[in-house]
Amino acid sequence: MKYRFGFIGTGNMGGAVAKAVCRTAGSAQVLLSNRTPEKAQTLAAQLDCAVGTNEQATTCRYLFLGVKPQGMAALLEELRPLLQQHKPVLVSMAAGLTAAQIEELAGGNLPVMRIMPNTPVGIGCGVVMYCKNALLSPADEQELVQAMRGCGIVDPLEEHLMDAGSALCGCSPAFTDLYMEALADGAVACGIPRAKALRYAAAAVAGAAQLALETSTHPGALKDAVCSPGGSTIQGVRTLENHAFRGAVMEAVITAAGASGALGKK
Ligand SMILES: NC(=O)c1ccc[n+]([C@@H]2O[C@H](COP(=O)([O-])OP(=O)(O)OC[C@H]3O[C@@H](n4cnc5c(N)ncnc54)[C@H](OP(=O)(O)O)[C@@H]3O)[C@@H](O)[C@H]2O)c1
């Protein structure tokens, strides 16, 4: 049987996107392959989808590439004859590698979508930014966007902005984890038990984000609405400003964007 969606590399991110595609497009359409086959087998058993080899995956209409950027050249070189024979649409999630580089490594003349997902795609609350080469047809783009709907927000972004997008969406879960941990540490210092502090911190962060998304309100306006005159929140805001909180976050995004761009050049 020919599968519609193939995955080569079912680690953290490949596995998370495969989960979402199974949810949206149906497990019967999905084939998984991984260097350590047991990893693909375990995931396939959870998702009720098929397992195969890299070579079999090249026969799928859409081929997701979930290997590390450093491993991409060797993988595509090895599969080049089969890719040129079957002409799948390549979907690369490798940080720092352009759609043109992926196409060239695969031997040229292949449609490519480059995606940049983040870890919350695993629970359907992520962001997938994507760009494409000129060979990707509108129909293929539409089918892929639809298949990835289970990831969360799926949105086009110009390729020259992908490294910045990667820093904003791909790296910020880690930044936010630091923030939540720090919130909880502060609460523990004020006497709240650790487990409760961590749970409340995560819920407060998720709630603030959901409020911004659902009301489409500028975060500055949401912040102003919480800061009553003479109240406690504005004192906390003053403390964060005194410690250059916003400047630190901006620097983190800019540094991560630069590092993401450098990955593809290694
Ligand atoms: N993690 C993130 O937040 C994130 C965000 C955006 C994009 N990405 C991108 O997603 C890609 C994967 O990252 P990751 O964090 O998911 O890494 P990972 O967990 O190490 O997954 C990579 C997987 O690829 C498999 N693999 C390596 N070479 C292979 C080959 N020749 N054939 C078949 N499978 C092979 C590995 O198999 P083994 O089990 O044998 O190691 C592993 O399961 C990277 O390109 C990264 O830039 C990651």
Side-chain angles (χ1 to χ4, degrees):
M1 176 182 170
K2 195 167 169 178
Y3 296 90
R4 196 104 183 120
F5 302 95
F7 286 81
I8 294 183
T10 57
N12 294 318
M13 196 43 72
V17 176
K19 242 181 240 174
V21 171
C22 280
R23 267 200 305 269
T24 321
S27 300
Q29 308 249 43
V30 176
L31 177 87
L32 308 181
S33 169
N34 193 70
R35 181 174 56 194
T36 309
E38 293 76 27
K39 201 188 267 181
Q41 284 157 5
T42 305
L43 186 64
Q46 277 170 25
L47 301 179
D48 197 24
C49 66
V51 196
T53 61
N54 289 355
E55 288 72 19
Q56 284 169 321
T58 63
T59 65
C60 296
R61 172 71 189 150
Y62 302 105
L63 180 56
F64 286 79
L65 302 168
V67 305
K68 294 274 192 199
Q70 306 88 307
M72 192 64 85
L75 174 74
L76 292 180
E77 198 171 312
E78 190 185 319
L79 295 178
R80 199 176 288 163
L82 287 172
L83 293 172
Q84 289 301 322
Q85 183 187 337
H86 300 298
K87 297 278 182 197
V89 174
L90 300 178
V91 186
S92 165
M93 58 191 80
L97 287 176
T98 64
Q101 283 172 313
I102 294 293
E103 185 191 346
E104 193 187 329
L105 288 170
N109 200 27
L110 286 170
V112 178
M113 178 182 272
R114 175 183 172 194
I115 64 172
M116 188 44 65
N118 63 359
T119 46
V121 303
I123 53 161
C125 297
V127 179
V128 181
M129 297 153 291
Y130 74 89
C131 60
K132 57 195 171 151
N133 71 359
L135 296 175
L136 188 81
S137 71
D140 281 332
E141 176 179 350
Q142 205 181 353
E143 184 168 348
L144 277 169
V145 168
Q146 184 54 34
M148 291 188 288
R149 282 276 172 238
C151 290
I153 294 172
V154 184
D155 201 56
L157 186 71
E158 286 176 50
E159 180 138 44
H160 73 279
L161 298 175
M162 286 295 266
D163 292 328
S166 160
L168 176 59
C169 302
C171 305
S172 68
F175 307 161
T176 309
D177 290 333
L178 284 183
Y179 175 58
M180 286 190 299
E181 194 182 11
L183 285 176
D185 278 342
V188 169
C190 296
I192 295 185
R194 170 76 56 190
K196 281 184 187 293
L198 285 168
R199 200 160 142 250
Y200 296 167
V205 168
Q210 202 56 34
L211 197 60
L213 279 173
E214 283 186 17
T215 62
S216 298
T217 307
H218 189 285
L222 289 170
K223 180 265 292 172
D224 287 353
V226 189
C227 292
S228 318
S232 56
T233 309
I234 194 67
Q235 295 303 333
V237 169
R238 180 172 68 112
T239 305
L240 289 174
E241 295 289 15
N242 279 338
H243 289 81
F245 177 69
R246 287 195 293 178
V249 175
M250 286 173 69
E251 284 304 320
V253 173
I254 295 164
T255 311
S260 167
L263 275 181
K265 298 181 185 81
K266 278 187 183 162

